[in-house]
Amino acid sequence: MKITIGSDHGAVDLKEAVKRVLAEFDGVEVKDVGTFGTEAVDYPDIAVKVCADVTSGAADRGIVLCGTGIGISMAANKIHGIRCALCNDVYSAQMSREHNDANVLAMGGRVLGFGVAGKIVRAWLTTEFAGGRHERRVNKIMALENH
Ligand code: RB5
């Protein structure tokens, strides 16, 4: 599985911690689109870089991080084809895959400890979409792109 990850300056340390968790998984290939320092950057620009890989098929999934996870998840969800779930707990991460087929995970670097974030990432990577009635609902979400 190919994963593109990016963060603004509010979650650079969390990005490194998430990359260490991703390295636990055989067959997971990670592309980091930055940012790499403490200089302030605008989280919508990072969302665009990560989501471009997901919508083009260059990545199977994306992970976006900012201080709270809120701004970058809002930005990601403006991009057609993206279903970004802001998850600051493990249950939401599981459900975002099982029920919502989330293709991008957002988390907040100023919200989460690395331990919880690691559990969220592991759950999000290993939970499959359940399909069935959930597929109908996800299709309805995607149809909203035409509104
Ligand atoms: C940047 O200071 C901060 O606003 C950003 O990381 C994020 O929390 C926005 O939602």
Side-chain angles (χ1 to χ4, degrees):
M1 182 189 294
K2 291 183 180 168
I3 298 179
T4 298
I5 187 169
S7 77
D8 77 354
H9 52 288
V12 172
D13 291 346
L14 179 60
K15 177 158 64 65
E16 292 309 312
V18 169
K19 283 162 63 181
R20 288 193 291 275
V21 171
L22 294 174
E24 294 170 6
F25 289 84
D26 284 337
V28 168
E29 218 176 284
V30 180
K31 176 178 163 187
D32 184 348
V33 296
T35 190
F36 298 103
T38 52
E39 195 180 325
V41 296
D42 295 337
Y43 54 80
D45 300 334
I46 303 295
V48 165
K49 285 184 186 174
V50 171
C51 295
D53 273 7
V54 175
T55 56
S56 71
D60 301 295
R61 307 248 196 108
I63 299 179
V64 292
L65 312 167
C66 69
T68 58
I70 295 170
I72 204 157
S73 62
M74 286 180 167
N77 276 317
K78 292 285 183 190
I79 298 168
H80 283 196
I82 297 300
R83 290 179 301 281
C84 177
L86 170 56
C87 298
N88 286 322
D89 66 88
V90 175
Y91 179 76
S92 298
Q94 285 171 340
M95 289 301 109
S96 79
R97 289 288 312 134
E98 199 175 310
H99 287 191
N100 314 118
D101 198 18
N103 53 10
V104 176
L105 169 68
M107 294 184 292
R110 295 172 183 156
V111 177
L112 289 171
F114 293 168
V116 177
K119 286 180 186 289
I120 288 169
V121 169
R122 290 185 194 97
W124 193 73
L125 280 187
T126 55
T127 306
E128 294 301 321
F129 180 47
R133 67 186 186 282
H134 302 295
E135 187 158 18
R136 183 180 69 243
R137 294 161 184 167
V138 169
N139 288 341
K140 286 186 178 185
I141 293 175
M142 300 322 284
L144 295 174
E145 291 179 348
N146 302 318
H147 273 240

